Amino acid sequence: MSVETPLPVLKPADFASDQEVRWCPGCGDYSILAQMKKVMPTLGVPREKVVFISGIGCSSRFPYYMNTYGMHTIHGRAPAVATGLKTSRPDLQVWVITGDGDGLSIGGNHLMHCIRRNMDLNIVLFNNRIYGLTKGQYSPTSPLGKRTKSTPMGAIDNPLHPLSIAIGCEATFVARSIDTNVKHLEQTLKRAAGHKGTAFVEVYQNCNVFNDGAWSYAKDRDTKAETTLELEHGKPLIFGKDRDKGVRLNGLEPEVVELGKGITEDDLLFHDEKSAEPSLAYLLSRMRHEDGFPEPIGVFRSVDKPRYDELINDQITQATSERGPGDLDKLFNAGETWTVE
């Protein structure tokens, strides 16, 4: 009887590569990298079975800094490359690292189709609402009126909201965290890694050089309790420093209410991340600080649906059993062929 060799016990340092980390001092990317290194040893996946794939941008340096396999691909195409890899190597754990510029501009179409197919991938989108690598142009998530080098009179594009897009594409796992909320970010990444299907995680990340303070309201100690709401499955939507505010539905519209003035927790909206109907998750993704709402963090949606990579390999197995393994040489020389001399 053969005895399986136990996997070596790994530590966060084992996932650190020998490359110098070259982000600007104070960049939020450092925190995301640190939490990823903390999470990886807890997953029980050998390093040779882990792949990080990125596109172009500050976030896309990530594969160099992880002591795993990785690919630094081209602008916006990381989901396409990851789809091919996961389909051909379903045994691998594949992470896609992208940014609001890389993933939502030229890469928007690839991202959308990857999500709707429900590939078994983990997509982490760093959102700093700016193009950092190219030195401060406005991005697809920059707010209206944002003055940048490419919008000196203020941005006139309506910003995209990453989670709303993901939920609109029927994403089976959708979550949001914040770079400085390290425990929350660590747990969010861990939950994403355990999901079967496309796990999409948006991280509010600060670019302290070209867009410093973009998320200050959601990060500052004095304001974050009033401007964010941590989602918990099966629990009412309560927030505030004194836990005295909540969100309820008024018809189909959410509204902020105060508890204790004839309003109890039972009157509030209760979070259900397991709902097959994505409308509630979409509603939560639309709650904005600028509209007077707390912005939810945590898991918006976590459901189980068929996965593209599994289905396509099932089809290959079925076709092979019915028609044999095939012969490329015979296929290439079948039908009408000719030779050019």
Side-chain angles (χ1 to χ4, degrees):
M1 185 194 315
S2 62
V3 178
E4 291 188 5
T5 304
L7 293 174
V9 177
L10 299 174
K11 302 185 294 295
D14 294 318
F15 285 89
S17 77
D18 60 357
Q19 299 298 298
E20 178 187 358
V21 181
R22 301 187 66 183
W23 287 315
C24 300
C27 175
D29 290 1
Y30 285 97
S31 175
I32 304 173
L33 177 64
Q35 306 328 307
M36 185 67 77
K37 290 175 184 175
K38 287 181 184 177
V39 167
M40 296 310 296
T42 71
L43 303 180
V45 181
R47 285 178 298 178
E48 61 270 19
K49 292 286 188 178
V50 180
V51 185
F52 284 86
I53 299 176
S54 65
I56 297 296
C58 294
S59 63
S60 295
R61 293 173 174 167
F62 207 92
Y64 295 106
Y65 307 143
M66 295 297 298
N67 189 17
T68 64
Y69 284 107
M71 282 183 269
H72 189 178
T73 68
I74 55 179
H75 206 197
R77 272 65 175 189
V81 175
T83 294
L85 178 62
K86 185 63 182 183
T87 300
S88 61
R89 287 291 305 274
D91 58 310
L92 300 179
Q93 182 185 78
V94 181
W95 294 79
V96 172
I97 304 296
T98 186
D100 50 302
D102 178 63
L104 297 175
S105 55
I106 194 170
N109 198 46
H110 294 283
L111 183 70
M112 176 182 73
H113 291 295
C114 180
I115 291 172
R116 76 175 178 88
R117 288 173 175 142
N118 197 32
M119 296 293 305
D120 189 18
L121 303 171
N122 307 303
I123 303 173
V124 184
L125 185 143
F126 299 17
N127 185 3
N128 56 25
R129 310 182 97 178
I130 202 76
Y131 276 105
L133 186 68
T134 49
K135 308 299 186 285
Q137 299 82 9
Y138 83 118
S139 85
T141 59
S142 295
L144 278 169
K146 178 67 177 178
R147 292 179 180 270
T148 72
K149 293 177 181 178
S150 56
T151 54
M153 297 177 66
I156 56 175
D157 289 3
N158 287 310
L160 292 175
H161 304 299
L163 296 193
S164 299
I165 292 173
I167 295 166
C169 294
E170 301 281 347
T172 55
F173 183 96
V174 180
R176 175 190 288 145
S177 192
I178 300 172
D179 57 4
T180 54
N181 194 339
V182 293
K183 290 184 179 179
H184 187 272
L185 177 56
E186 180 184 350
Q187 290 304 311
T188 302
L189 293 174
K190 187 178 293 187
R191 283 208 57 188
H195 179 72
K196 293 297 183 182
T198 300
F200 184 85
V201 179
E202 175 190 25
V203 182
Y204 283 178
Q205 177 262 336
N206 191 48
C207 175
N208 59 314
V209 174
F210 296 108
N211 201 24
D212 193 26
W215 308 111
S216 59
Y217 63 86
K219 300 170 68 168
D220 288 353
R221 183 178 302 175
D222 296 334
T223 58
K224 63 182 181 180
E226 304 294 329
T227 59
T228 62
L229 186 158
E230 189 165 341
L231 298 173
E232 295 183 77
H233 178 61
K235 300 289 184 67
L237 302 189
I238 296 177
F239 69 102
K241 183 178 180 181
D242 299 317
R243 304 283 292 171
D244 59 348
K245 299 181 182 68
V247 177
R248 71 176 180 184
L249 283 183
N250 183 359
L252 295 177
E253 298 290 333
E255 64 177 2
V256 173
V257 294
E258 290 188 33
L259 295 171
K261 299 180 180 180
I263 297 175
T264 68
E265 292 185 7
D266 290 338
D267 297 314
L268 303 179
L269 186 60
F270 280 66
H271 182 47
D272 182 8
E273 67 181 39
K274 302 295 183 183
S275 175
E277 170 54 52
S279 298
L280 172 60
Y282 186 80
L283 179 147
L284 295 174
S285 76
R286 300 293 299 170
M287 287 169 50
R288 299 275 169 260
H289 167 63
E290 56 263 32
D291 296 327
F293 291 100
E295 297 192 0
I297 61 174
V299 177
F300 288 60
R301 192 171 194 235
S302 179
V303 297
D304 184 45
K305 286 190 174 182
R307 306 192 303 274
Y308 180 93
D309 47 294
E310 188 175 55
L311 294 175
I312 195 171
N313 280 295
D314 287 346
Q315 289 185 342
I316 292 171
T317 300
Q318 180 182 348
T320 302
S321 66
E322 293 175 355
R323 305 176 64 178
D327 185 328
L328 278 178
D329 185 65
K330 184 184 293 185
L331 175 64
F332 289 153
N333 290 282
E336 297 181 3
T337 61
W338 63 92
T339 301
V340 178
E341 296 181 353

